[in-house]
Amino acid sequence: MTKLLLSIHVLASILVVGPIAVAASMFPRYARRTAGEDGHSVGATVLLHRICSGYAIVGVAVPVFGIATGAQLGVLTDAWLLTSIVLTTIAAAILALAILPGQERMIESAEAAAADGTGTGTGTGDGADTKRAAARLAGLTGVFNLLWAVVVVLMIVRPGSTTGA
């Protein structure tokens, strides 16, 4: 049973967190483009946001199967697993509370810009707000991805683990 749970956990991690990491990383690049310069940018940002938000919902499977695997291995109180759980929670909070809402705001701004013909969505005509928002999203996405990288390393190295697995 442990091998099955671990397999599902690893597959879910790769197939769910991977697309979120890639789509969220690509989003700021397309969001920086103005609707006046590239009419496809709004469509691309909408698609990337759908990928992020859709996979975020399915992403709940990753910690569920991870905790089930930890319980089977008897390592739920190990420091490396507790640290991974905390980092996963922080990454999920960043995604749900900052990245996804930030993407939504940028899409709304881009759609408004496309509708009014300014290409900036800021009302200022210079796109500075869009560039700042995109830079902030890029930074948040970098933190999100870094947290997942640390979690992966903890899952592999498992410092202090006595299971020998």
Side-chain angles (χ1 to χ4, degrees):
M1 184 59 135
T2 303
K3 290 181 182 182
L4 176 64
L5 290 172
L6 181 58
S7 296
I8 293 170
H9 173 61
V10 170
L11 282 170
S13 299
I14 293 167
L15 298 175
V16 175
V17 178
I20 295 170
V22 172
S25 295
M26 292 173 61
F27 185 95
R29 174 179 161 221
Y30 286 95
R32 281 187 196 102
R33 295 180 182 178
T34 62
E37 294 171 0
D38 182 359
H40 298 291
S41 293
V42 174
T45 56
V46 169
L47 174 64
L48 293 169
H49 174 66
R50 283 185 185 157
I51 291 169
C52 291
S53 58
Y55 277 78
I57 294 167
V58 179
V60 172
V62 175
V64 168
F65 283 102
I67 290 170
T69 303
Q72 284 287 316
L73 290 171
V75 295
L76 285 179
T77 59
D78 285 10
W80 64 270
L81 186 61
L82 294 173
T83 302
S84 294
I85 291 170
V86 168
L87 294 177
T88 298
T89 303
I90 293 169
I94 290 171
L95 179 64
L97 301 175
I99 294 173
L100 294 176
Q103 289 177 347
E104 289 170 4
R105 283 190 300 274
M106 291 194 75
I107 290 169
E108 290 168 3
S109 177
E111 288 172 341
D116 72 12
T118 64
T120 63
T122 62
T124 63
D126 63 5
D129 290 342
T130 300
K131 289 178 183 175
R132 277 192 295 276
R136 181 175 186 274
L137 262 180
L140 287 166
T141 301
V143 172
F144 173 82
N145 291 340
L146 180 62
L147 288 169
W148 277 112
V150 172
V151 168
V152 168
V153 170
L154 286 171
M155 293 286 132
I156 294 168
V157 176
R158 300 189 305 164
S161 177
T162 58
T163 63

